[in-house]
Amino acid sequence: MSRGNTRQRIQDVALELFAERGYEKTSLREIAEQLGVTKAALYYHFKTKEDLVTSLFEDLVLGPADEVIDWARQHRPTTLETKLEILSRYSACISHATPMVRFMHENQAALRELSIGDEMKRRIFTLLELIKDEDAALVDQVRCTSALFTMHSALFTLDSSGAAPEEKRKAALEVAQELVSAAHHGE
Amino acid sequence: MSRGNTRQRIQDVALELFAERGYEKTSLREIAEQLGVTKAALYYHFKTKEDLVTSLFEDLVLGPADEVIDWARQHRPTTLETKLEILSRYSACISHATPMVRFMHENQAALRELSIGDEMKRRIFTLLELIKDEDAALVDQVRCTSALFTMHSALFTLDSSGAAPEEKRKAALEVAQELVSAAHHGE
Amino acid sequence: MSRGNTRQRIQDVALELFAERGYEKTSLREIAEQLGVTKAALYYHFKTKEDLVTSLFEDLVLGPADEVIDWARQHRPTTLETKLEILSRYSACISHATPMVRFMHENQAALRELSIGDEMKRRIFTLLELIKDEDAALVDQVRCTSALFTMHSALFTLDSSGAAPEEKRKAALEVAQELVSAAHHGE
Amino acid sequence: MSRGNTRQRIQDVALELFAERGYEKTSLREIAEQLGVTKAALYYHFKTKEDLVTSLFEDLVLGPADEVIDWARQHRPTTLETKLEILSRYSACISHATPMVRFMHENQAALRELSIGDEMKRRIFTLLELIKDEDAALVDQVRCTSALFTMHSALFTLDSSGAAPEEKRKAALEVAQELVSAAHHGE
DNA sequence: CATGAATGAGCATTCATTCAT
DNA sequence: TATGAATGAATGCTCATTCAT
């Protein structure tokens, strides 16, 4: 049948199920069944369940996030314009990985036990450091943290608004930029 | 030993573990072991694992949230001042339940399978409806959603800031009020 | 049905199967099936498969062997008579645990991965030290090692001879004592 | 790379692992990995796992043992001198196959399920028949059995003595001959 | 109020093996 | 000669739950 793309198909189905039912609740049996293959086939492509989820992170968010971080590091000192551009770039990069972001957001407890969880946390933390000033007042730290969370959560909430994904993304970016601007003025 | 308060002790330990390790990863065996009782003892006090987690929600957040909602419903039409007071009251009520809020926030995927999850979602949605205007622009909807999330997440993030819980809560409330004010002006 | 003795029954069946089919080849399913209980029932009584085999060693050979070792340590310096008495006592103590000894002997590769294997090895080594002289010639070391092995293996070999277990044990003890005597004279 | 000798290399690695970790615990995956080939490659050279282990026996011990047996059958009636020569020849022939002997000795339970196990057992039994007198007393049967075991086990025990393999082999042979001599006199 | 003993269903993982290429 | 991809069956183990005592 299909050749060579099995690995990809596993990742697709896995992400869908992980996002829908949660990491712990999703068994490899379910993934295999939905794909029409055996559990053992999954193990041919991924060493463990953790390995599978790790590959999803690496392919979908870790790389892109690193690019944003790299770009930011090459544009120091970090002016307000730079900060806004960071938000803009980050927004763009996560918009291609909506299910992943949702999964990340809604399974933080589960991810804490996975080594990839730390890895991702580190990225978020680094972005936060770039966006907020070192000695920012507490309220400004809250603003910056909130800016990041807002961009994440807007991707998969506001379903009732009936807005298109791209519109939601832009609205979230706007709010995030407002928050960071306010934090910047606060110095 | 201790008499009569076993139910309470189970809830305490359960919440602690649920918040720390996640709902799915926390087994009744662990809870029982940490309490020094048998698994069967838990079943004397709670019919199921879901029953246990439900009781936590009811005792710690559902009731308080309902009070805020009731108060809000008695103060219509909802002026900006009312909205800010809603935020203030909600902030106060969740501040007594930090681990619960963290648990809620980090286990959304797991909670989705639990009936209590819907219940909680309904409260959040109702609060959101009270805070945002019916025909608010998308960006204002984002602002209001973000306001609520900010208050939640500030309770258990910003650990590195070294700030006291109460300070963090106030800072989050301030940011939330700003966001809602901006959304209100937007009309 | 039967109460309180389930643990014992598990041990009995487990030892029988371990000795017959080998440690690795014997699955907990088989043990459970033969007992008419669920696999999970085994786990109520023993934490792991290793735990189960460990309990067998502790109950059947470790304790008895330690008694012989203790007795030997209280009878120093170790004269030839003492050595012969050690053999005699050891022979008596293992004769109550024939299947265990066979299991031990025929599953050394498997036991090497189990922590109880080391424990047992230590006992054998200690007995050997007590039986052979410190600076014994190589050939005498072989004699002493052989004496121990002979007592072990005679318990479950020589099936074709049609001899009664007790006769075999005595014959093995005799040969073992001869070997140790020869080693002793060798000084 | 290497050509034509892959079969040999598989055997080498397999024996090493079988001896070290045991037959059951050694998976074909491990063998393949250590060789840097695929599991499927093993199946090109050996029909099954049992086939692989069988080939090891045939190449390393079955043939040599048969030679000893053949020689013995041509020197009847079996005088004491003949018996001692049998031991000597057998000792020499197994000394080239130390890991195999160790494997055989420590995996008896596992081998019992393999048809090659019977085959080997038959050789040992035949040797025993040649070495002991038909109507030997029980104690003499023990002596002869022990003689054989001693030669086997001396190959891989007595590690702490620091003796060279060849010395150990000679010492074991000496003890074995003593035992058989004693059994012979016993008539 | 609580335990001891057990179950049934499930899980992640591993294994020997197969087969088209 | 070998590999890439897969399977079916099994394994050790854990979990939420039950129930007689």
Side-chain angles (χ1 to χ4, degrees), chain A residues 101-115:
Chain A
V101 173
R102 183 184 173 203
F103 168 52
M104 214 172 84
H105 202 91
E106 298 185 338
N107 288 269
Q108 288 178 69
L111 289 179
R112 210 174 313 136
E113 323 266 283
L114 268 31
S115 64

Side-chain angles (χ1 to χ4, degrees), chain D:
Chain D
M1 305 247 172
S2 52
R3 290 184 14 266
N5 61 339
T6 301
R7 195 190 141 96
Q8 179 66 49
R9 286 172 56 227
I10 294 172
Q11 285 182 315
D12 291 349
V13 169
L15 179 51
E16 188 184 353
L17 289 175
F18 285 160
E20 195 56 43
R21 327 221 310 104
Y23 178 70
E24 313 273 13
K25 268 270 180 180
T26 303
S27 71
L28 295 185
R29 179 179 51 72
E30 275 175 295
I31 297 174
E33 240 161 45
Q34 189 144 130
L35 275 165
V37 300
T38 334
K39 268 183 295 172
L42 305 188
Y43 279 89
Y44 179 79
H45 294 281
F46 301 94
K47 236 172 40 205
T48 63
K49 188 186 183 186
E50 176 160 359
D51 213 52
L52 170 52
V53 78
T54 298
S55 82
L56 289 171
F57 270 93
E58 282 168 352
D59 295 5
L60 295 175
V61 294
L62 245 45
D66 281 341
E67 281 177 35
V68 175
I69 290 168
D70 283 350
W71 181 90
R73 280 185 172 145
Q74 285 160 14
H75 289 76
R76 285 192 149 134
T78 319
T79 64
L80 177 56
E81 280 71 38
T82 309
K83 289 180 183 176
L84 300 184
E85 180 65 16
I86 292 172
L87 292 179
S88 179
R89 283 169 180 256
Y90 185 62
S91 172
C93 98
I94 61 174
S95 74
H96 304 314
T98 304
M100 184 78 240
V101 173
R102 183 187 173 201
F103 169 52
M104 216 171 82
H105 202 93
E106 297 185 338
N107 288 269
Q108 288 178 67
L111 291 178
R112 211 174 311 135
E113 323 267 284
L114 269 32
S115 64
I116 195 71
D118 283 350
E119 210 69 14
M120 194 58 221
K121 205 169 180 178
R122 220 167 352 253
R123 261 61 164 200
I124 303 277
F125 191 74
T126 304
L127 280 172
L128 193 56
E129 290 297 304
L130 287 164
I131 268 172
K132 84 174 193 0
D133 299 315
E134 220 169 319
D135 52 356
L138 187 57
V139 71
D140 286 328
Q141 293 187 46
V142 171
R143 272 190 260 256
C144 292
T145 308
S146 187
L148 251 27
F149 276 13
T150 298
M151 286 168 60
H152 282 164
S153 58
L155 290 180
F156 54 91
T157 49
L158 298 172
D159 284 347
S160 61
S161 73
E166 184 59 10
E167 288 179 64
K168 293 200 287 184
R169 199 205 109 218
K170 278 186 186 152
L173 175 56
E174 191 181 328
V175 173
Q177 290 182 324
E178 251 171 52
L179 284 161
V180 169
S181 298
H184 193 76
H185 285 148
E187 289 172 36

Side-chain angles (χ1 to χ4, degrees), chain A residues 106 112 143 146 150 178, chain B residues 106 112 143 146 150 178:
Chain A
E106 298 185 338
R112 210 174 313 136
R143 273 189 259 255
S146 188
T150 298
E178 250 172 53
Chain B
E106 298 184 336
R112 209 172 315 136
R143 273 190 259 256
S146 188
T150 299
E178 251 172 53

Side-chain angles (χ1 to χ4, degrees), chain B residues 4-76:
Chain B
N5 61 338
T6 301
R7 194 190 141 94
Q8 179 66 47
R9 285 173 56 228
I10 293 173
Q11 285 182 314
D12 291 348
V13 168
L15 179 52
E16 187 184 355
L17 289 175
F18 285 161
E20 194 56 44
R21 326 221 312 105
Y23 178 69
E24 313 273 13
K25 268 270 180 180
T26 303
S27 71
L28 295 184
R29 180 180 51 72
E30 275 175 295
I31 297 175
E33 239 159 46
Q34 187 143 133
L35 275 165
V37 300
T38 335
K39 267 183 295 173
L42 305 188
Y43 279 89
Y44 179 80
H45 294 280
F46 300 94
K47 237 173 36 207
T48 64
K49 189 185 182 185
E50 177 160 359
D51 213 53
L52 170 51
V53 79
T54 297
S55 81
L56 289 171
F57 269 93
E58 282 167 352
D59 295 6
L60 295 174
V61 293
L62 245 46
D66 280 341
E67 282 178 34
V68 176
I69 289 168
D70 284 350
W71 181 90
R73 281 187 172 143
Q74 285 159 15
H75 290 76
R76 284 189 148 139

Side-chain angles (χ1 to χ4, degrees), chain A residues 58-128:
Chain A
E58 281 168 353
D59 294 5
L60 295 174
V61 293
L62 245 44
D66 280 341
E67 280 177 38
V68 176
I69 289 169
D70 283 350
W71 181 90
R73 282 189 172 140
Q74 285 161 12
H75 290 77
R76 289 192 144 134
T78 319
T79 64
L80 177 55
E81 281 70 38
T82 308
K83 289 180 182 176
L84 300 184
E85 178 67 16
I86 291 173
L87 292 179
S88 177
R89 284 169 179 254
Y90 185 61
S91 172
C93 98
I94 62 175
S95 74
H96 305 314
T98 303
M100 184 77 241
V101 173
R102 183 184 173 203
F103 168 52
M104 214 172 84
H105 202 91
E106 298 185 338
N107 288 269
Q108 288 178 69
L111 289 179
R112 210 174 313 136
E113 323 266 283
L114 268 31
S115 64
I116 197 70
D118 283 352
E119 211 70 11
M120 194 58 221
K121 205 169 180 177
R122 225 177 337 260
R123 260 58 162 206
I124 304 279
F125 190 75
T126 303
L127 279 172
L128 194 57

Side-chain angles (χ1 to χ4, degrees), chain C residues 114-138:
Chain C
L114 269 32
S115 66
I116 196 71
D118 283 350
E119 210 71 12
M120 195 58 221
K121 205 170 182 177
R122 230 182 326 268
R123 261 58 163 205
I124 303 279
F125 190 75
T126 304
L127 280 172
L128 194 57
E129 290 296 305
L130 288 163
I131 269 171
K132 85 173 191 6
D133 299 314
E134 218 168 321
D135 51 357
L138 187 57

